């Protein structure tokens, strides 16, 4: 296993964190990326706090072993349930909750924000607490959408697909009856369903993409730490998964500009 010194390390339970990878590649084309998708243990959002904590530590330790310069938990569930691991790891570390809430609070006009996430994320009230700590006057409506994760992991994201439409309609119903003008896609899998959600909610509702906001924030951290790469190097991405690479390769193209074909390696995450 080669060390990937100077790369950005990113992890998620599966494919979702690729929404952050896509944005990082767009705004930081010189950066190398090491991605770990814990496809053998997805979904995280329906697991216990103990399990999520254990998985987050193992995922981050694997990336640290790879020699990365910063770690991004591109997972709303880990960011909501597990602690900030920067001290433990001795590395800059960020999750998705802070940057996503920051943007949502700037974007809303009527102070009514919807949050969708996994069951663990919604039960933790992480987004709601973060927003209301700064803006106690804001109303935050929460809805878990755990089944979205399975849909996305199986490539079921087509907004014309009846099954997708039915599930989106069911989960969005509480928001339809409210007057939220902003919805946080608080799980990094969900931006893949953004078109279906937007159609259901209409154009007056702004969707906040947790993968994208986290990528922008990551750039800021690297810049402030003097770690941003701008030497003309063409950034490469290296992918690792805990289940068979084939399924990951099959659907990763939905998230990325280029499919990572033949560039995905299996690792045994229990060793970390
Ligand atoms: N993509 C993850 C998140 O942002 C995890 C989804 C899951 O594994 O349940 O929450």
């Amino acid at each position: 296993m080669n060390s990937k010194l100077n790369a950005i390390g990113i992890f998620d339970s599966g494919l979702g964190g690729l929404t952050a990878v896509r944005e990082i590649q767009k705004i930081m084309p010189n950066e190398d990326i090491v991605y770990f998708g814990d496809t053998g243990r997805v979904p995280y959002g329906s697991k216990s706090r103990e399990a999520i904590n254990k998985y987050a530590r193992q995922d981050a330790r694997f990336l640290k072993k790879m020699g990365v310069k910063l770690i991004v938990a591109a997972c709303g569930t880990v960011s909501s349930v597990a602690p900030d691991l920067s001290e433990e790891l001795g590395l800059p570390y960020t999750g998705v909750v802070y940057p996503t809430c920051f943007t949502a609070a700037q974007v809303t006009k009527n102070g009514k924000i919807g949050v969708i996430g996994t069951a663990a994320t919604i039960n933790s009230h992480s987004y709601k607490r973060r927003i209301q700590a700064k803006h106690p006057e804001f109303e935050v409506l929460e809805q878990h959408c755990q089944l979205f994760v399975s849909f996305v992991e199986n490539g079921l994201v087509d907004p014309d697909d009846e099954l997708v439409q039915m599930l989106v309609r069911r989960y969005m119903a509480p928001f339809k009856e409210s007057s939220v003008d902003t919805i946080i896609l608080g799980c990094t899998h969900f931006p893949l369903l953004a078109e279906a959600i937007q159609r259901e909610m209409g154009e007056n509702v702004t969707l906040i993409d947790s993968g994208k906001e986290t990528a922008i924030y990551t750039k800021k951290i690297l810049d402030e730490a003097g770690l941003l790469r701008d030497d003309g190097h063409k950034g490469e991405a290296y992918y690792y998964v805990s289940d068979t690479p084939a399924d990951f390769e099959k659907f990763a193209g939905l998230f990325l500009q280029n499919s990572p074909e033949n560039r995905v390696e299996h690792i045994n995450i229990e060793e970390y």
Side-chain angles (χ1 to χ4, degrees):
M1 193 179 292
N2 297 324
S3 164
K4 302 289 188 301
L5 287 171
N6 212 19
I8 299 174
I10 305 177
F11 74 88
D12 179 42
S13 61
L15 292 158
L18 295 178
T19 55
V21 171
R22 176 176 64 190
E23 293 298 324
I24 285 178
Q25 289 177 326
K26 247 190 244 164
I27 63 173
M28 294 180 269
N30 302 136
E31 298 290 345
D32 287 337
I33 291 171
V34 179
Y35 184 86
F36 174 63
D38 198 1
T39 51
R41 303 190 292 198
V42 67
Y44 280 6
S46 52
K47 302 281 184 348
S48 68
R49 186 168 279 270
E50 291 69 36
I52 296 165
N53 269 303
K54 176 185 156 193
Y55 297 168
R57 286 205 163 80
Q58 288 179 318
D59 301 352
R61 282 201 289 260
F62 163 69
L63 292 173
K64 178 165 176 163
K65 191 107 190 254
M66 295 297 284
V68 301
K69 60 182 170 185
L70 165 142
I71 293 180
V72 182
C75 173
T77 306
V78 166
S79 314
S80 298
V81 173
D84 181 329
L85 297 176
S86 47
E87 242 173 69
E88 208 173 301
L89 296 165
L91 276 178
Y93 175 93
T94 182
V96 306
V97 175
Y98 169 72
T100 310
C101 289
F102 180 80
T103 302
Q106 284 189 321
V107 163
T108 181
K109 292 197 173 67
N110 67 3
K112 291 186 181 150
I113 300 175
V115 179
I116 58 174
T118 64
T121 296
I122 295 306
N123 289 338
S124 79
H125 306 292
S126 56
Y127 287 93
K128 183 174 177 157
R129 281 202 262 124
R130 172 75 72 167
I131 291 169
Q132 290 184 334
K134 200 121 202 263
H135 304 276
E137 72 285 9
F138 283 4
E139 227 177 88
V140 181
L141 202 67
E142 302 166 289
Q143 168 71 36
H144 95 70
C145 302
Q146 186 61 48
L147 282 176
F148 278 173
V149 178
S150 313
F151 269 50
V152 171
E153 286 289 321
N154 288 287
L156 264 172
V157 296
D158 181 353
D160 291 321
D161 186 312
E162 270 178 40
L163 217 54
V164 171
Q165 289 173 354
M166 263 168 62
L167 192 63
V168 168
R169 199 169 311 128
R170 166 75 77 91
Y171 279 144
M172 290 302 119
F175 296 135
K176 289 281 270 192
E177 289 158 17
S178 76
S179 48
V180 296
D181 69 353
T182 305
I183 294 181
I184 290 178
L185 308 178
C187 167
T188 50
H189 280 73
F190 297 176
L192 265 282
L193 290 163
E195 201 178 327
I197 296 169
Q198 191 81 65
R199 273 198 210 170
E200 177 64 17
M201 293 307 300
E203 291 303 319
N204 293 333
V205 171
T206 307
L207 304 182
I208 311 289
D209 176 335
S210 49
K212 180 177 171 190
E213 298 310 326
T214 304
I216 295 167
Y217 185 59
T218 301
K219 185 172 183 184
K220 186 167 176 275
I221 301 177
L222 289 176
D223 196 14
E224 284 173 2
L227 293 171
L228 197 58
R229 195 164 179 174
D230 55 4
D231 55 0
H233 166 78
K234 189 178 173 304
E236 296 284 347
Y238 306 89
Y239 301 94
Y240 298 86
V241 291
S242 51
D243 202 350
T244 53
D247 281 348
F248 185 87
E249 285 176 2
K250 189 162 136 204
F251 295 123
L254 284 173
F255 293 77
L256 301 167
Q257 313 282 28
N258 310 307
S259 163
E261 225 167 317
N262 303 323
R263 279 184 293 142
V264 185
E265 272 180 50
H266 173 264
I267 60 143
N268 180 4
I269 195 62
E270 291 295 353
E271 285 173 7
Y272 294 88

